[in-house]
Each structure stands twice: as C-alpha cells, then as structure tokens.
Amino acid sequence: MLILTSVLTTGALTLTACGSRDDNAKGGGDGDTTTLTIGVDAPLSGENSATGLGIQYGAQIAVDDANKKNTVPGVKFQLKALDDKAQPATGQQNASALVGDKTVVGVVGPLNSGVAQSMQQVFETANLVEISPSNTNPELTQGKNWQTDKKRPYKTYFRTATTDALQGGFAADYAFNGLKKKKVFVVDDKQTYGAGLAKIFKEQFVKLGGKAVGTDHVNTGDKDFGSLVTKIKAAGADMVYYGGQYDESELITKQLKAAGAKIPLFGGDGMFTPTYIETAGDAAEGDLVTSVGVPVETLPAAKEFIATYKAKGYKGDYGTYGGYAYDAASAIINAVKAAKAANGDKLPTGDDLRSKVVEEVGKSDFEGITGKVSFDEFGDTGNKQLTVYQVKSGKWEAVKTGTYTG
C-alpha cells in the first residue's frame, strides 16, 4: 500500500481535529479561529523538483502573508504539500488524499499538464477548486477539440499560466521573424505538455514559411542522446526546438554542442530555470525559452515576495512559477473571504464551503504580484503576456516580451 506523506512547510499551523463532524477544523486554543488548508501538488523531489519547489514555497508565502494580515478574520490558513514526482498516477493519489482532508478548501498545482489530466476528475467530483500556476496544455481548459470546438471539461479547474496555444505561436514567430531561422528540428519528450507544445510550435513555424527538417522523440529520464544528435546534424537544422522539461534538454544541448553543432536549442517554460544553465554550462549560451508572463524581478508588486523567498532560504526556483503559485493561493484565500462575506460573515462549512470557493474563484478580479488575476469562461488566465529569454553570459536575459494573437 502506498503511504502518502504530507509535507507541512515552514510556518504551517498544526491541524487539530474538531469532534466527530466533517466540518472545517477548529484550531486548538484559538477560540473561534477556524483552520483551513490549501493543498499543493508538485514534484518536490527528483525530476522537475527545482520548479516544483518554487510552486510550494510561492504558495507558502501567500499563506503566511494572509495569516499575518488577517485577510480572512477568524480563519488561519496552513499549507499541505504533496510530492507527485512528476508522475500522473501519484498525482491522482495525491488528489484523492487532498479531497479526503475535509479542511482542504483548494489546491495549487500541479506543475505538469500530464499530471493535471489525472487529477481533474477527482477534484471535479469533490467540487474542490484546483488552480495550476504552470499547466499550459490547451486541452485542460478547452477540451480535446480546442482548435475547432472549445468546451470547458471541468468547472473546478483554473490556471494562472497562459496556454501553449499562445506560447508555441509566440516562440515560432520569434524563431522565424526574430532569429531568422528557416530550418528547425523538432524534438519532444512524449508527455502531454512537451508533445503538445512541440506540435503547436511546428505548425506555426511551418505556417510562417519555415521548414521542419526533422522530428524525433525522447523518453523522460534519458541521458544519452548520441543518436538524436547525429540526426540533427545530418538534417542541416539551424535550430532545435524542444518540447519538454529541463532535465533532458540540458543534456541534449550539451551533447549537441560537444558534437560540433553550434546551433541554439529553443524550448518552453519547462526549461526556464537556472538549473538548465548550471547543468549545461557553456553549452547553454545562446539557447532560448519562452515563459509565461514577464520577468518577476521587473514587477514592483513582486519585490517583497522575492525578498521573503530569499530571506527564508527556500529551495527551488521562484522565478518560473513561484509568483503564479502565490497568486493562485491568493485567489483561493480571497475566495474564502468572499464566501464568508456572502454568507452573512459566517464561514460556510463542509461541502458548501468548497462549492462556494469554486464559484468565487471564477469571479476573481484583483491585482496579484504577477499582474491582474482573473479567469475567463474556460478557467484560463486573463494575463496573456509571454517572454522570450536567452542565455547570455551564463544567465537568462529577457529579449522579447509581448502577447501573441496568432
């Protein structure tokens, strides 16, 4: 039997049971204070953990801020973070565990779109809101036929990251018109996020007049990409586009450059982490990524968040999704506040609270640290900004920021 271990991060409150009812727990010694839990699901160890930890601690800071500011009078929030190891089956088990905890009023995560697919129905059935700060696959909010017939499959699912429908096209436009690349070799990791993003990039790049001189796939966890490098060199590509995470792409670019192919590797937000540069070393120079939003360091509202993250010594990378996790958790907290206000300033209990939180999240309209937080009829973010980053002198540097409309 698999035992799920919950991680209560620094500053979390201890959960105290309240009688035999399934209502939200009362905090011991806090009088009328009710303790509510915000769940987090992300890869906290192994592959993708640098970005996963950024999600965990981004949400943690939002919880700590809400408690410090007494955002919801009479309510204390705590975080419950579960490690999905970037595995859909584990994510589904985590979703069931979070649903089973009656104090959980909302969930931030997961990181990976493939994991999200395994969790959505679980949360929908329990009417528990889920807000991902990083999922970008269009199918999650607009259905499998999103290109021709958009239909929202799950009313409890939202995201603060924009979709690959925009990210893939934004990257293709920059590659063709900005970098003047004409021949691209497209690779993906066969996962929901990576394959979907690579497909959209390829379609848009060809539509613009570029040529896809080759395609291939790798497996997550692969380390030796010798045969792939040989194919890329033989194809005469002037760029490689990779759909997937940093764990594999950082090795692909290193082996590609070592074999003498001095061409850039371009990828999506799954590659946007300092870990990519640290592992690839000099081979990363000139490589590119797209990521959601604008550089968090340039946002005045995020200064305190960044300072807190660094002061706490939190692990992981706050720059990719940490700010979006903060805003996702804030949306849940604000929804609890609105649900309480709409109920005569009394906190709804049990399933009624979860239902009200889903409803109020959909009405979100506030300034977060990454910009305005709102959701459309599909649960997608109203923030459509994207940024292209390039490795220059060993660091990611923003080279283009904007929106993409197709």
Side-chain angles (χ1 to χ4, degrees):
M1 180 170 66
L2 178 65
I3 299 175
L4 295 175
T5 303
S6 65
V7 181
L8 295 181
T9 58
T10 304
L13 302 170
T14 303
L15 184 63
T16 305
C18 178
S20 60
R21 300 194 308 162
D22 283 337
D23 291 344
N24 310 112
K26 301 287 185 181
D30 283 336
D32 294 329
T33 298
T34 299
T35 301
L36 298 179
T37 303
I38 293 178
V40 167
D41 177 87
L44 308 179
S45 63
E47 290 188 359
N48 311 159
S49 59
T51 42
L53 289 167
I55 290 173
Q56 176 185 352
Y57 293 121
Q60 181 66 62
I61 295 172
V63 165
D64 291 343
D65 283 351
N67 289 335
K68 181 180 179 180
K69 297 173 182 177
N70 196 27
T71 300
V72 187
V75 175
K76 292 291 185 181
F77 293 94
Q78 67 178 7
L79 202 75
K80 183 174 186 177
L82 301 182
D83 183 3
D84 63 31
K85 303 182 188 298
Q87 298 297 320
T90 304
Q92 188 175 62
Q93 292 166 339
N94 289 351
S96 296
L98 291 167
V99 164
D101 183 343
K102 298 301 182 181
T103 70
V104 175
V105 291
V107 178
V108 176
L111 168 67
N112 307 87
S113 293
V115 176
Q117 287 181 323
S118 73
M119 304 175 81
Q120 287 179 305
Q121 185 63 64
V122 177
F123 290 132
E124 178 82 1
T125 300
N127 213 13
L128 181 62
V129 74
E130 169 191 18
I131 309 178
S132 174
S134 55
N135 294 161
T136 53
N137 187 282
E139 291 185 16
L140 297 172
T141 49
Q142 300 174 21
K144 290 185 177 181
N145 299 319
W146 63 271
Q147 290 178 304
T148 56
D149 185 22
K150 293 181 175 64
K151 289 183 180 178
R152 186 177 186 180
Y154 301 101
K155 71 179 185 301
T156 56
Y157 178 87
F158 299 82
R159 54 178 153 202
T160 52
T162 195
T163 75
D164 290 335
L166 302 180
Q167 183 175 198
F170 190 67
D173 179 72
Y174 188 76
F176 186 81
N177 292 313
L179 300 175
K180 307 300 180 183
K181 300 298 182 182
K182 304 301 180 185
K183 298 184 292 182
V184 64
F185 195 104
V186 181
V187 185
D188 70 70
D189 63 0
K190 298 188 282 190
Q191 302 300 303
T192 301
Y193 159 72
L197 179 59
K199 180 175 182 288
I200 293 169
F201 173 88
K202 179 184 174 183
E203 289 175 349
Q204 294 303 312
F205 187 77
V206 171
K207 184 178 180 180
L208 288 168
K211 184 177 181 180
V213 295
T215 59
D216 206 350
H217 314 278
V218 300
N219 297 306
T220 56
D222 283 354
K223 305 294 183 184
D224 185 355
F225 300 100
S227 61
L228 173 63
V229 168
T230 299
K231 292 178 184 178
I232 294 170
K233 291 181 67 177
D238 55 19
M239 187 182 74
V240 175
Y241 187 82
Y242 182 75
Q245 306 290 338
Y246 63 88
D247 303 88
E248 290 74 39
S249 58
E250 62 194 16
L251 299 179
I252 292 173
T253 198
K254 193 170 186 177
Q255 293 173 32
L256 186 67
K257 308 298 173 50
K262 307 300 183 182
I263 59 175
L265 188 148
F266 198 167
D269 52 318
M271 280 173 45
F272 183 48
T273 171
T275 304
Y276 176 88
I277 302 172
E278 291 164 6
T279 301
D282 292 342
E285 195 70 16
D287 287 353
L288 306 105
V289 297
T290 48
S291 191
V292 297
V294 299
V296 69
E297 289 85 359
T298 68
L299 299 170
K303 287 183 178 179
E304 185 177 345
F305 165 78
I306 295 171
T308 300
Y309 199 105
K310 292 179 176 179
K312 292 283 188 180
Y314 287 144
K315 297 179 180 178
D317 171 31
Y318 68 81
T320 312
Y321 306 120
Y324 295 93
Y326 182 101
D327 283 347
S330 296
I332 295 170
I333 292 165
N334 289 342
V336 171
K337 181 178 181 179
K340 182 172 179 282
N343 192 47
D345 205 33
K346 293 181 180 179
L347 192 69
T349 58
D351 293 340
D352 187 39
L353 176 57
R354 287 183 172 180
S355 176
K356 294 297 184 183
V357 168
V358 172
E359 181 180 336
E360 296 296 342
V361 164
K363 300 176 185 177
S364 295
D365 187 5
F366 65 94
E367 288 298 325
I369 65 171
T370 62
K372 185 176 180 180
V373 178
S374 63
F375 304 102
D376 65 16
E377 68 270 30
F378 301 104
D380 283 326
T381 179
N383 186 349
K384 309 297 185 184
Q385 288 186 302
L386 289 155
T387 300
V388 176
Y389 296 85
Q390 187 169 29
V391 181
K392 295 187 176 183
S393 300
K395 294 182 179 180
W396 290 116
E397 181 179 314
V399 293
K400 181 182 179 180
T401 296
T403 57
Y404 180 78
T405 57

